[in-house]
Amino acid sequence: MPEQPLRPTQEPLNDLAVTYVQAGESLFLALHDDIAARVRAAHPDAGYLDVSEDVDGYLDLHGIWSTQAPGPGACRLLHEPRTGPAQDGPPDLDELLADLERVLVGPYLYQWGLAEPHPEYEHRDRRWITLPPADRVAHIEGIVRRYVPDAVSLICLFDADRGRVAVGFEQVIRAGGESVPIPCPRCSPETPDSLWPHDVSHQLAGALGQLYALPHLRSRHLTPCVDVTSEHGDQLWLLRFPYAEPASHAVPSS
């Protein structure tokens, strides 16, 4: 019996599935960014939403909290719908919650750690929604420069082959062009000479992964580059820190 030819869509089916997942991730992250912008239009310091879900999947907002620290015990309550005046809340609250319901249907906010159980035990039936930084690049730069004060750029790796973005680190470029290797947490455990603790790597990976997953931010801030000495392979990405003092951003030659 002659071998049947493959259907036109049969061979690239896995690639199509990955593309579909990546498109969904980008859409949901962009929608979450829009929700954050609408909340911050009323409360510029907002960092968290405290919400609950009823049996029909509808959300109820219990509070908007500031960004001072990851938990209501160390944050300021900016708005409580049940007790505060309506004009103190974000505009079109019902529409905002409806968009958040759409976002929470998918796994993406959970994968990025943007949606978690409420940090206070008595409210564990609620969800604690983290709003993304208004400027992810400034957020990333602030984290890196706490440990390398004269850092001007970061070289990293992104792997999106399995439908979600995994982040690896390569090196930090300091003012003047000197490079500082970063022990990648994907390849080796934390060591005493690591530039920063493992939980900081986790913070950076989340912000960088979101930056890469959003096409309008990726094209604006990330530049493909090559370092033949890298253990990760040829395809790396350079993120320049726009708020660092002017200096050489060249990728060191091998």
Side-chain angles (χ1 to χ4, degrees):
M1 183 176 180
E3 184 177 346
Q4 294 293 323
L6 294 175
R7 298 190 303 275
T9 60
Q10 189 169 338
E11 288 182 321
L13 187 58
N14 288 338
D15 292 339
L16 289 173
V18 169
T19 300
Y20 176 82
V21 171
Q22 291 173 351
E25 183 171 48
S26 299
L27 173 63
F28 280 47
L29 281 173
L31 186 55
H32 190 51
D33 278 10
D34 180 65
I35 291 169
R38 282 183 277 166
V39 172
R40 288 183 175 134
H43 301 284
D45 294 334
Y48 306 97
L49 303 179
D50 175 5
V51 302
S52 62
E53 183 179 11
D54 65 19
V55 294
D56 296 318
Y58 295 109
L59 295 182
D60 188 17
L61 178 67
H62 294 271
I64 300 174
W65 295 83
S66 72
T67 57
Q68 291 180 357
C75 299
R76 291 181 295 114
L77 179 60
L78 303 175
H79 174 65
E80 186 175 8
R82 299 177 187 277
T83 59
Q87 60 267 27
D88 287 346
D92 302 321
L93 181 58
D94 291 341
E95 181 181 342
L96 185 147
L97 288 176
D99 286 342
L100 188 56
E101 289 165 7
R102 292 173 53 200
V103 171
L104 290 175
V105 168
Y108 307 109
L109 294 195
Y110 302 96
Q111 291 175 352
W112 292 117
L114 297 173
E116 300 176 297
H118 197 287
E120 293 186 353
Y121 182 79
E122 62 268 31
H123 300 311
R124 295 296 281 181
D125 57 329
R126 300 183 191 174
R127 302 190 198 184
W128 190 246
I129 309 299
T130 299
L131 301 179
D135 186 335
R136 284 185 178 86
V137 175
H139 177 68
I140 293 167
E141 177 181 351
I143 294 174
V144 172
R145 286 169 71 88
R146 286 205 304 264
Y147 298 91
V148 187
D150 60 346
V152 294
S153 59
L154 175 67
I155 297 178
C156 44
L157 167 79
F158 299 97
D159 180 4
D161 290 341
R162 289 180 291 276
R164 62 169 303 188
V165 179
V167 180
F169 299 109
E170 186 67 25
Q171 53 188 275
V172 171
I173 309 301
R174 304 176 65 179
E178 178 188 356
S179 65
V180 182
I182 307 173
C184 179
R186 294 177 58 195
C187 307
S188 58
E190 181 181 343
T191 61
D193 60 345
S194 296
L195 285 181
W196 46 67
H198 191 271
D199 62 330
V200 173
S201 291
H202 183 72
Q203 283 183 305
L204 284 170
L208 285 162
Q210 295 167 41
L211 193 75
Y212 181 85
L214 291 164
H216 66 290
L217 295 181
R218 179 171 68 236
S219 62
R220 186 186 311 164
H221 297 293
L222 292 171
T223 304
C225 62
V226 174
D227 181 358
V228 296
T229 66
S230 169
E231 62 182 293
H232 288 133
D234 293 339
Q235 185 58 78
L236 299 169
W237 296 80
L238 174 71
L239 172 64
R240 293 186 175 91
F241 296 151
Y243 309 111
E245 295 180 2
S248 170
H249 293 95
V251 178
S253 58
S254 57

